Amino acid sequence: MTEEITARKKTALSGIQPSGNLTIGNYLGALSNFGSFTEEFNCYYCVVDLHSITVRQVPAELRRRTYEVLALYIACGLDPDKCTLFVQSHVHEHAELSWMLSCFTMFGELSRMTQFKDKSAKHADNINAGLFTYPVLMAADILLYQADAVPIGQDQKQHLELARDIAERFNGVFSPTFTVPEPYIPKVGANIMSLAEPTKKMSKSDANENAVVRILDTRDVIIKKFKRAVTDSDTCVRRAEGKDGINNLMTIYSCFTGKSFDEIEREFDGRGYGDFKAAVGEVCADGLAPVQARFSELMADKAYLEEVMKNGAEKASRTASKTVAKVKRKLGFVTL
Ligand code: TRP
């Protein structure tokens, strides 16, 4: 019965890099919706450690953050019994398929990737080949599991488009091999902006710590950061063009409370920005508190996290190895 349901469900896959501390942008745009996904889809959630070494990492930090992202997945409602949670480097097929797909990806296509251009400007001293072929590895992550839907932020749309092109190209040269994936971009919360420069996306690697609210920030820090959030010279809490700071705070408030913008405008009618910012801080801290509590419990139990990783890697490998075997056969590799 369960097997049958699983067979009928579509597959979703997403990945998060274990670099940098995740923000409420990651939470509202992705993590907080993941739980509901597991009902609808057969889900794979991956900690993409292979992707993170495209920029220099401190090994001990990379290791710690790998546990942290896994713990966050679980703390945000992903049940390891209902979906496959795993670490990318534990499933060697990712690297293997990535190589094969790189021979179906054009130099010109990779050169046009805006993230590559941005990252090479930022890390001018380390423009390595991995940074360039990063999207091919991402395509491998997705195509290995024949994913139908890929929950991603707007910034990853171009990479997903490339994954689709690679899949179609391969399918066209050989015969249908890969499912061509669709992006799944959440409407609300997908665009949480920086608190310091609200025309810019909130980024976990922002040098200005006041610009970002992190999932694991303490209550005091969260409240303080919202108090410092950049607004405008108007005094009225309402949505309007040009009021980027307030629009962003209203989005965040709406995400944590479920209230509509009209309701929020009424609630803060005649009250100043100070009151509003304090309220946003409160609802954000309240909303994150249960996640943080569960996260701490999980981080104190490494053995449990390792068991999840191990089971996840086994489950993931079963699907991934089938895809790789199929690809190798089609390419003409000798199978023993
Ligand atoms: N590139 C993605 C990011 O930085 C992370 C990622 C890697 C990913 N592999 C993926 C996301 C597969 C979705 C599916 O956000």
Side-chain angles (χ1 to χ4, degrees):
M1 182 66 184
T2 336
E3 288 277 309
E4 241 175 73
I5 292 173
T6 315
R8 260 192 279 120
K9 274 187 181 175
K10 289 195 166 191
T11 298
L13 176 136
S14 197
I16 292 182
Q17 288 195 48
S19 49
N21 288 322
L22 297 176
T23 72
I24 56 166
N26 301 117
Y27 179 71
L28 298 173
L31 286 156
S32 65
N33 312 316
F34 280 177
S36 60
F37 258 90
T38 50
E39 304 301 326
E40 200 181 328
F41 293 94
N42 176 22
C43 289
Y44 291 87
Y45 288 104
C46 181
V47 184
V48 290
D49 54 351
L50 296 175
H51 277 107
S52 8
I53 62 164
T54 52
V55 302
R56 288 283 168 265
Q57 300 291 335
V58 177
E61 282 180 16
L62 177 62
R63 195 169 292 118
R64 175 175 51 79
R65 286 185 169 139
T66 301
Y67 284 94
E68 284 182 0
V69 173
L70 186 75
L72 267 178
Y73 274 148
I74 302 170
C76 289
L78 290 182
D79 179 347
D81 293 327
K82 288 197 189 147
C83 57
T84 308
L85 301 179
F86 67 105
V87 175
Q88 189 186 31
S89 68
H90 292 166
V91 182
H92 61 76
E93 282 83 359
H94 289 251
E96 208 177 351
L97 183 63
S98 180
W99 169 255
M100 297 186 264
L101 295 182
S102 74
C103 302
F104 292 83
T105 310
M106 300 303 127
F107 184 87
E109 287 175 314
L110 292 174
S111 310
R112 285 194 290 277
M113 294 292 123
T114 55
Q115 191 170 66
F116 171 68
K117 290 190 241 174
D118 292 348
K119 284 202 181 172
S120 20
K122 217 166 131 192
H123 304 277
D125 56 338
N126 184 22
I127 307 177
N128 60 72
L131 201 59
F132 190 63
T133 59
Y134 177 114
V136 184
L137 179 58
M138 180 164 161
D141 298 342
I142 298 164
L143 302 183
L144 270 178
Y145 302 94
Q146 309 289 354
D148 300 283
V150 184
I152 41 166
Q154 189 68 39
D155 64 319
Q156 294 299 313
K157 236 186 126 181
Q158 197 186 26
H159 288 164
L160 189 83
E161 210 45 62
L162 180 64
R164 289 170 55 88
D165 291 343
I166 297 172
E168 277 166 355
R169 185 170 297 142
F170 194 98
N171 290 348
V173 174
F174 299 96
S175 52
T177 308
F178 297 118
T179 302
V180 181
E182 298 282 346
Y184 191 105
I185 300 176
K187 283 175 228 63
V188 203
N191 283 317
I192 302 297
M193 313 306 275
S194 151
L195 296 190
E197 285 172 77
T199 48
K200 245 179 50 187
K201 201 186 145 201
M202 186 180 284
S203 157
K204 62 184 173 184
S205 52
D206 200 313
N208 177 1
E209 197 45 41
N210 282 320
V212 280
V213 179
R214 302 190 185 276
I215 301 178
L216 299 174
D217 277 347
T218 63
R219 176 170 211 98
D220 290 351
V221 168
I222 293 173
I223 289 174
K224 199 183 70 203
K225 285 180 175 174
F226 278 110
K227 274 195 186 144
R228 293 197 182 143
V230 167
T231 50
D232 53 60
S233 54
D234 188 19
T235 50
C236 184
V237 177
R238 64 185 170 93
R239 302 270 304 179
E241 194 150 339
K243 288 171 69 74
D244 302 304
I246 288 295
N247 292 344
N248 186 37
L249 294 177
M250 286 179 74
T251 301
I252 296 169
Y253 193 76
S254 165
C255 287
F256 280 108
T257 58
K259 290 178 186 166
S260 70
F261 296 132
D262 284 344
E263 284 175 282
I264 300 169
E265 287 179 11
R266 274 196 301 274
E267 184 177 352
F268 291 94
D269 187 26
R271 294 162 68 185
Y273 284 170
D275 267 13
F276 179 54
K277 290 203 255 185
V280 182
E282 293 289 338
V283 298
C284 177
D286 288 347
L288 294 175
V291 175
Q292 295 179 345
R294 182 79 182 108
F295 173 83
S296 303
E297 271 171 30
L298 288 161
M299 285 303 285
D301 193 353
K302 291 269 156 61
Y304 171 72
L305 292 176
E306 282 165 8
E307 191 190 302
V308 171
M309 286 181 196
K310 196 160 171 284
N311 293 336
E314 274 169 19
K315 263 203 273 177
S317 297
R318 257 177 262 145
T319 311
S321 60
K322 275 188 211 148
T323 304
V324 164
K326 189 155 97 174
V327 171
K328 285 183 169 174
R329 225 180 309 119
K330 297 212 180 187
L331 287 170
F333 291 165
V334 173
T335 43
L336 293 177

